[in-house]
Each structure stands twice: as C-alpha cells, then as structure tokens.
Amino acid sequence: MASLRRALAVLLLATGCIPSPYDRAAKVDTIDGYRAFLREYPTHPDTDAAEARLEELEFQEAKRLHTVIAYKRFLEAYPDAAQARTAKTLLEGLRFNGAKETDTVAGWRQFLQEHPDGVQRDEARRLLAEAEARELAATEDPRKLAEYLRASPDDPRRLDVESRLDAQAFAEAKASGAAKLFAYLKDHPAGAHREAARVLLLELEVEGLLVSGLVDEAEARVKAHPLGPKLTAFPARLEHARAERAALARPEPAAQAAHVGHYLRGMEDLNRALVAPDPLDRWQAAEELGQHVSVRVLDPLLESLRAARNPLIRQHALESLRTVLTALPGPVAEYEVYSRLDALRERATSAELYLTVAVLLDLSGQLAQASTEYQRAAESGVPDPVILRRWVQIREERRQHFSAAVAARQLALWSLDVAQQERVTPEGRVPLASARQLCAAAVNARFAVEAIARARAASTEFPEDLAEFERKAVDARRLADARLADAELLLREQTPGVRTCADRGVRERLEHAVKERTAALDAVMTKLPRQVGRLLLEVAQKRDPSPQVRAAASARLTAQKPAP
C-alpha cells in the first residue's frame, strides 16, 4: 500500500498536478522562501533563477531600509550582482550625507578613504579642506598641528601652523619644567622662543646655586652670562638668599645646631675621602656627602656610582643621590637631572654609563625608561649588585614578590661567588680591598636573605622555588660572613685599630645629628630674633636632608603666626 502511494505522488508531480519546490518558493516570492529553497535543494535545476530573484529581493530590501549597514550587507553578500553599482552609489550618498552632517576632518577623511574614486570625491576634498581650515584655526592641540604638518607639507598655511605649534610647545615647556624646556630646544632648532627657554633654564641653574648656599657663585654666574639681565626676579631672590646665608652663619648655638652643615665634614674633605685608599672611607664619605643638599655634590656622587669598584661605595652613592635630589626643590632637581641626561645618552656605550643614565631616570620618576637602561647595563657586563638590589626594591614596590625573590637570588649568587673567589690565607697579607669586597658580599647576602623571606611571607606561588632560593641565600650569607670574619681577623693582626665592616661611626653620627637638629628647632624661635628663627625653620623645612627634620620644621612653621 505504501509503495502505491509513493508511485502516485511521482505520477502527480510528473504530470504537473503537484507544484515543484521552486514553484512554491516563487509563489511566495520572499527572501525567506528563496533562502529555504536554496538551502533544501542546492542542486535543483532552478537554483540559478532562485538566486537571481533572491538578489533582486535583497536589493529591494536594502533600498527599503536605506541604511549604510543594509547596503554594506548586500554588497558583502552579492559583490558581483547587477545591482552592486547602484548599491555602491547609494551607499556613497548616505556616507557623504553623514560626513556632511558632522562636517569634521576625521569624517571627511574616513569618507575619502572608503570612497577614493566615488562620484562625490572632489566635493568631499573641497569640504575636507574647509574643515581642516576651521580645525586649524580653533585647535590648541600640538599633536593635531604636528599631524597636519606631516600630512600637508606643501600647504600654504604651513608657516602659520608651524608658528602656532612652536608657541604651544614653548608654552607647554614653560609650564612643565626643565625636561620639556630641554626637549623644546632639541625639537625646535629654529623656534622663536629658544632664547626665552634658555632664560628659564638659566633661572633654574641659578636657583640651584642659591639653594645650595653658593650665593656669590650664583651672583657671578648671572653677571657673566649674556642672558643674565633677563632674570628680572633675580635681585629679590638674591637678597633673600643672602638673608638665609646670614641666618645660617650666626654664631649662637641655637642657630648652629639647627643646620645640618654643623654636623658634617666639609664638601672638600669628603671629596678627598672619596678617593681614599680604604674603600670603607670612600663609602662612608659617599654616605655623608648625601647630607649636603647642594648641586655641587651630584657629580662626585655620580662619578663614584660609575667608577667605584666596591659595590658599597656605589650603593651609598646611589642612596645619597636620592637623598639630595629629594631634598632639592623639584624644579631644580629636574634641571640637574636633565642637564646631564642628554650628554650622557649621546656617549653611553658601557655598562657604567648605562647605569648612570638609568639612575638619573629612576631618581626623576621615569621608572619605565629607567628599567630599560638598567636592563642594558645588566646585559653589558657581569652581574651588578647595585642593579640587582634596585630590581628587588622595584619589584617589591610593584608587589611582584616572586620576581623580587628571583632578583634577590641572583644577588645571593653574586655574594657567594665573591666569598668563594676572594683569597684569605694566614700565610700572606690580606689586601684591604679584599676585606672590603667581602664586606660587600656579606651585606648583600643579608639583604638577599631578608628580601626572599619577605617574598615567602607575601607570596603563595612557587613555594618550593622560594624555599630553595632562601636556602641558597642563607648558604651565601654564612660563607660570606665566615670569610669576612677570617679576613678581618687577619687584617686586625696586620693593622691594629683598623676599622671593620661593622663600623657605624658615620651612620651613628648622622642619626644623632637628626635628633639634635629636631630638638634645636624648638629653640630657634625663642632664643633668636623672630625673623632669623623663621628663616632657619624655612631652610630646614625646604632643604634639610632628613624627612624627619623637614616635617618637624613644617609643624613649627604652621604653629607660628606669619611674620609681619
């Protein structure tokens, strides 16, 4: 019976009594109908007719919607359709009208990018030029002006745009500080404001001399410089600096005790100590030199950082540079950094100079750029404990505890290598430099152990690796301490009274000086003339190397009524 029904269906279809699938789709004549037919009967003899009709219906639907998306979809689906050219023209018209409605440079550029050969091309170019003219007349954005100059090098308005860009770049540099002023001079070799930029830089240079107490030197610099007469505020600033110098030079014990210079060796003595035979003298001099908040200590400290062999000299030089640049006024510190950076970058070809550039960038807050230079320095020579310690600190600040432990492990391996390589034998004399190098190994091994312990306490990742790092660092510390003890025993036998790695004479003196100065601040307003006392408090607040003293001076100034 079933076979009879099938035979009957075939007979009816063959005689035309039942419509074919295409006829049924054609009778409905819809997009969905033709799509269903083509999906179900992909090999039917009438697929070409169905596809042709589907194109027509899809185009009609796109025209009915008359949107950018509708025409784009049609062209993506039927790029070779007979209606494609018409669809492109309609799409171009819609986009042209949209660009005309917003009438922006970005809108017209996008239109021309999408229809580079369209029928509206010439009109769009004309309207783009008008929009550019309006935007150029109104914009204050240097990036847009620079982009225009790159895109339109032959435009007759180029000179006007260059002039405006130059003025805006200078205004930004003037408001920003030394870094941008140096950049302005470099980027605008024919700028109209180069002399004004140099005047501002001279002003920062002179201010650095004044805050360093080099009043006579600042006055001589202004008198000798051809741009000196343009420093119109200098006379008043010089008078104030002289008043500060007079206050600091008063003989009263209260005045002397409030100033850091009272507790320090002179800069000339410290500079001589930086080249003393004993590395311990040199690293203690580097430590103490950082208490002189003066632009004149920067170059000796940078030279020690660059050239010293013992890592503790270089480490103390780095820490002192940070102390001085933090205590100097921000604009002066920025000037001192960037006045050195350009020259250093041009001749930086060694690990030592890469490190110097890295430290200057680091201390000026440019940590991303500094990290690149630290990496270059590390890749240019043997492992550097100064760089490794700084990497530990940076990664701890970023809460990258495991990475900090990795750097600390490298530091421990450096210490272990030094402890193994330095010769200590009872038969011969122990070189002083070897004992001091073992001191550096011991100090850095202890630092590494402490850093890895902090990482283990703060991090839960890779606990087995951290435990292994700690074992290795502890081994390095033990060997370095043992070798140091052996070396210093022999050294004391050779030279009775020689100072050892544990000597804290300078550190204790500097720590005691902080307490003395803090206490002395209470007396300056009661035991000295009011104006003198206020000047001493202001100097301490602005330029003392100790944050504790600066905070105490600030609190006492706040408690005082303004001077009449």
Side-chain angles (χ1 to χ4, degrees), residues 131-147:
E132 285 177 338
R134 289 195 306 273
E135 187 172 289
L136 284 172
T139 187
E140 298 295 332
D141 187 346
R143 289 172 298 180
K144 289 185 177 181
L145 292 173
E147 180 184 347

Side-chain angles (χ1 to χ4, degrees), residues 240-446:
H240 186 74
R242 284 172 173 163
E244 289 178 338
R245 182 175 64 177
L248 293 171
R250 289 182 71 96
E252 293 93 337
Q256 294 294 305
H259 180 48
V260 64
H262 178 65
Y263 305 90
L264 304 176
R265 289 178 284 174
M267 280 189 279
E268 290 186 5
D269 289 343
L270 290 171
N271 284 333
R272 284 192 293 268
L274 283 177
V275 293
D278 188 345
L280 188 148
D281 285 330
R282 298 205 293 274
W283 76 60
Q284 289 187 340
E287 179 181 14
E288 187 170 351
L289 198 58
Q291 299 295 295
H292 285 279
V293 180
S294 169
V295 298
R296 286 292 177 258
V297 307
L298 296 177
D299 287 332
L301 289 171
L302 285 170
E303 179 62 18
S304 295
L305 174 70
R306 184 190 67 81
R309 178 176 178 269
N310 190 289
L312 292 182
I313 301 172
R314 298 167 59 238
Q315 186 64 43
H316 282 295
L318 171 58
E319 292 167 358
S320 287
L321 282 167
R322 185 182 302 279
T323 298
V324 174
L325 289 171
T326 300
L328 285 171
V332 171
E334 183 180 346
Y335 169 83
E336 295 297 331
V337 167
Y338 281 91
S339 64
R340 291 164 172 81
L341 264 178
D342 281 345
L344 280 170
R345 279 171 166 161
E346 290 176 0
R347 57 187 177 90
T349 56
S350 65
E352 293 81 8
L353 288 178
Y354 290 145
L355 174 60
T356 306
V357 171
V359 166
L360 287 173
L361 289 168
D362 188 355
L363 298 181
S364 63
Q366 306 296 316
L367 192 53
Q369 295 181 51
S371 296
T372 301
E373 298 298 330
Y374 277 131
Q375 188 65 41
R376 292 178 70 185
E379 293 172 352
S380 300
V382 297
D384 186 336
V386 175
I387 296 176
L388 293 173
R389 283 183 69 132
R390 185 61 186 130
W391 277 350
V392 171
Q393 294 166 345
I394 290 171
R395 291 165 185 177
E396 285 184 335
E397 291 167 3
R398 294 173 174 173
R399 303 185 66 80
Q400 298 171 344
H401 303 295
F402 184 76
S403 295
V406 171
R409 174 184 175 274
Q410 292 177 281
L411 184 60
L413 292 176
W414 175 87
S415 298
L416 182 63
D417 183 64
V418 171
Q420 291 171 340
Q421 296 298 323
E422 291 293 339
R423 295 180 60 84
V424 179
T425 60
E427 292 80 10
R429 294 177 62 82
V430 177
L432 185 63
S434 294
R436 302 314 189 201
Q437 195 75 357
L438 286 168
C439 177
V443 169
N444 280 299
R446 293 170 204 148

Side-chain angles (χ1 to χ4, degrees), residues 183-204:
Y184 172 81
L185 291 175
K186 182 178 180 180
D187 297 338
H188 297 266
H193 305 279
R194 291 177 62 82
E195 182 176 293
R198 288 194 173 97
V199 169
L200 292 171
L201 289 171
L202 176 62
E203 192 173 64
L204 290 169

